[in-house]
């Protein structure tokens, strides 16, 4: 099993550009999550999904969109990039809901200039 | 509302010495508590978790943590530090169905 994979590893965007961060898991997990990690801070939940076709907002959803068309994939979309979105983004998945272990991908480091 | 406070953003210990990373939480309901470790340029990995039952929880790599309700604490310990323990450690609390609240992290340095 590859676990949770994320692409790209690094990306630099200009203000106003758009991009999609990809996340795929091969563990047949129902639940998937997107977090952002700012320097010196803990992770904050952006969006989560409890299954294909079902998503919901987390703590900091503004400026992002998600979709979940398959069990395996959970892409995160930035429509109009802003400097405040400079961060490291982590995707995670779990088989059950709380308090099941969440498995994290290696992260995408995004810089918006 | 729930929150997590990790005392000390940086902790340095000598190799072989006791590791103690502090975590206090606030929660209006019985919490689930977690410790995650993040090695450089990697995602987070679960060290251990407390859900119910025994308050002393053992995790991977020789780490353990004790849930103390009266002190609202969940400190992480390891009797003898190893160089490979150098990493960032995050305490997290979960009371709702789907949201983990993370502390700001403690970077552990192990001095040879």
């Amino acid at each position: 099993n590859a676990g949770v994979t994320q692409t790209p590893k690094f990306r630099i965007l200009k203000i106003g550009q758009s991009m999609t961060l990809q996340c795929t898991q091969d563990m047949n997990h129902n639940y998937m999550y997107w977090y952002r990690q700012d320097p010196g801070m803990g992770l904050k939940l952006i969006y989560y999904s409890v299954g294909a076709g079902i998503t919901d907002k987390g703590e900091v959803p503004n400026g992002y969109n998600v979709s979940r068309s398959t069990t395996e994939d959970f892409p995160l979309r930035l429509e109009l990039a802003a400097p405040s979105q400079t961060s490291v983004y982590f995707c995670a998945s779990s088989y059950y809901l709380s308090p099941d272990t969440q498995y994290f991908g290696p992260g995408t480091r995004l810089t918006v200039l | 509302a729930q929150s997590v406070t990790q005392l000390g953003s940086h902790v340095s210990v000598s190799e072989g010495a006791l590791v103690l990373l502090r975590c206090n939480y606030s929660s209006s309901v019985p919490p689930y508590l977690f410790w995650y470790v993040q090695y450089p340029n990697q995602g987070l990995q679960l060290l251990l978790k407390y859900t119910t039952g025994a308050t002393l929880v053992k995790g991977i790599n020789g780490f353990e943590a004790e849930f103390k309700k009266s002190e609202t604490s969940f400190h992480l310990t390891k009797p003898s530090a190893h160089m490979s323990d150098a990493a960032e450690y995050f305490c997290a609390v979960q009371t709702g169905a789907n949201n983990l609240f993370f502390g700001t992290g403690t970077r552990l340095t192990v001095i040879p």
Side-chain angles (χ1 to χ4, degrees):
Chain A
N1 284 350
V4 180
T5 57
Q6 293 182 237
T7 57
K9 285 185 167 46
F10 304 94
R11 183 72 184 270
I12 297 175
L13 283 182
K14 293 182 180 179
I15 295 172
Q17 287 186 320
S18 301
M19 78 164 294
T20 299
L21 282 66
Q22 301 291 345
C23 174
T24 300
Q25 54 90 10
D26 63 357
M27 297 174 283
N28 200 32
H29 284 174
N30 296 315
Y31 303 94
M32 296 187 74
Y33 314 82
W34 273 106
Y35 293 91
R36 59 177 287 172
Q37 182 183 29
D38 298 325
M41 304 293 289
L43 280 68
K44 293 189 183 297
L45 183 66
I46 306 171
Y47 271 95
Y48 67 97
S49 170
V50 302
I54 306 171
T55 63
D56 206 349
K57 296 177 181 179
E59 189 180 356
V60 290
N62 291 343
Y64 307 95
N65 281 300
V66 293
S67 59
R68 182 100 180 268
S69 57
T70 66
T71 300
E72 295 78 19
D73 300 305
F74 190 40
L76 178 71
R77 178 87 177 157
L78 282 71
E79 291 293 348
L80 292 170
S84 61
Q85 294 178 304
T86 295
S87 190
V88 181
Y89 292 83
F90 289 100
C91 180
S93 71
S94 64
Y95 191 76
Y96 295 108
L97 206 48
S98 168
D100 196 24
T101 301
Q102 292 187 18
Y103 294 85
F104 285 78
T108 294
R109 186 174 296 275
L110 175 67
T111 302
V112 182
L113 301 174
Chain B
Q2 47 277 338
S3 66
V4 176
T5 301
Q6 290 184 242
L7 295 175
S9 58
H10 291 87
V11 170
S12 293
V13 300
S14 298
E15 191 175 14
L18 172 72
V19 175
L20 170 60
L21 304 182
R22 299 178 186 275
C23 173
N24 288 89
Y25 69 91
S26 68
S27 173
S28 57
V29 298
Y32 300 132
L33 296 160
F34 304 78
W35 275 100
Y36 279 84
V37 61
Q38 184 179 28
Y39 298 103
N41 300 314
Q42 294 187 27
L44 278 69
Q45 178 184 358
L46 182 70
L47 271 180
L48 50 80
K49 65 182 177 183
Y50 169 78
T51 56
T52 58
T55 56
L56 182 62
V57 181
K58 295 186 185 298
I60 61 172
N61 301 338
F63 284 93
E64 62 182 38
E66 186 171 10
F67 169 56
K68 292 188 176 180
K69 184 178 178 181
S70 61
E71 298 177 10
T72 60
S73 68
F74 192 56
H75 301 331
L76 182 70
T77 61
K78 181 175 180 178
S80 176
H82 192 271
M83 296 299 294
S84 61
D85 295 327
E88 187 134 22
Y89 292 79
F90 291 93
C91 182
V93 61
Q94 186 164 11
T95 57
N98 48 49
N99 203 354
L100 273 177
F101 286 89
F102 286 85
T104 53
T106 298
R107 184 171 299 277
L108 177 66
T109 301
V110 181
I111 303 165

